Amino acid sequence: MKKTPYIRLDKDDAAVLLVDHQAGLLSLVRDIEPDTFINNVLALADSAKYFKLPTILTTSFEEGPNGPLLPELKTLFPDAPYIARPGQINAWDNKDFVKAVKATGKKQLIIAGVVTEVCVAFPALSAIEEGYQVFVVTDASGTFNEITRQSAWDRMAAAGVQLMTWFGVACELHRDWRNDVQGLGALFSAHISDYRNLISSYSVCGTTKKAA
């Protein structure tokens, strides 16, 4: 098997594409628990906000059964490019979407969406063909079942797409805790209960040491 080189995410050269996190499509996600999935999507979105990454929102046929975009995403990114595709299944087939991606000037694309084997895989594979470095956030992308998910992962990985989790994305973008302990800790605490306990313990110990 050919070894794929390690390409690190760079916060100065990355953009986030949130594809089709729509009310109707969200009802199809069965490979991740609903509450966990929404938390992961918002964790990725909060990470994009924290690292000030250009973010693009897109929907597919939202006037039909796919439904409107998750409202929290609109709230988080009120000024982000919002591409409501009239019918194209592959977002990369929409000229406005591709134009918005190219306008970021970034070569690394962090992609998540619903459903994994279509709304995520199609633009991810298309972007790879265009020469972009593509990172798919697996736990912020959902689909019907584990078999479908694995098939999508295999196809994308074979084409050179890197598969990551939102937590891995945040850590690789941050690089060094000393850059901002409190900020990254707050981000993790907001979305991982165990990490909230860890940070609380750290804060208490820090206060105790200062008092001593």
Side-chain angles (χ1 to χ4, degrees), residues 83-208:
I83 314 300
R85 309 190 315 278
Q88 297 96 340
I89 293 174
N90 181 351
W92 210 264
D93 288 338
N94 182 282
K95 293 180 180 179
D96 292 332
F97 178 77
V98 175
K99 182 179 179 181
V101 172
K102 291 183 177 180
T104 67
K106 311 300 183 182
K107 291 301 292 181
Q108 295 187 334
L109 304 181
I110 301 168
I111 305 177
V114 183
V115 291
T116 307
E117 72 277 18
V118 176
C119 306
V120 176
F122 291 178
L125 295 170
S126 298
I128 284 282
E129 287 298 302
E130 292 278 343
Y132 288 91
Q133 297 169 0
V134 179
F135 304 77
V136 163
V137 187
T138 56
D139 56 353
S141 302
T143 188
F144 306 106
N145 53 57
E146 294 180 2
I147 294 175
T148 306
R149 177 181 68 193
Q150 191 60 54
S151 297
W153 288 356
D154 289 346
R155 186 184 187 194
M156 289 188 286
V161 174
Q162 296 197 53
L163 306 177
M164 302 183 69
T165 63
W166 78 261
F167 185 75
V169 166
C171 288
E172 192 157 271
L173 288 168
H174 200 65
R175 299 288 177 90
D176 191 320
W177 268 108
R178 292 167 296 182
N179 290 329
D180 181 12
V181 175
Q182 295 302 324
L184 191 66
L187 172 63
F188 290 165
S189 296
H191 296 284
I192 306 173
S193 57
D194 290 339
Y195 221 98
R196 189 179 309 122
N197 296 334
L198 183 153
I199 292 296
S200 296
S201 176
Y202 166 78
S203 299
V204 169
C205 289
T207 302
T208 304

Side-chain angles (χ1 to χ4, degrees), residues 36-52:
T36 300
F37 181 64
I38 295 297
N39 176 69
N40 293 343
V41 173
L42 296 180
L44 175 60
D46 283 342
S47 298
K49 197 84 171 179
Y50 173 75
F51 290 106
K52 298 181 175 62

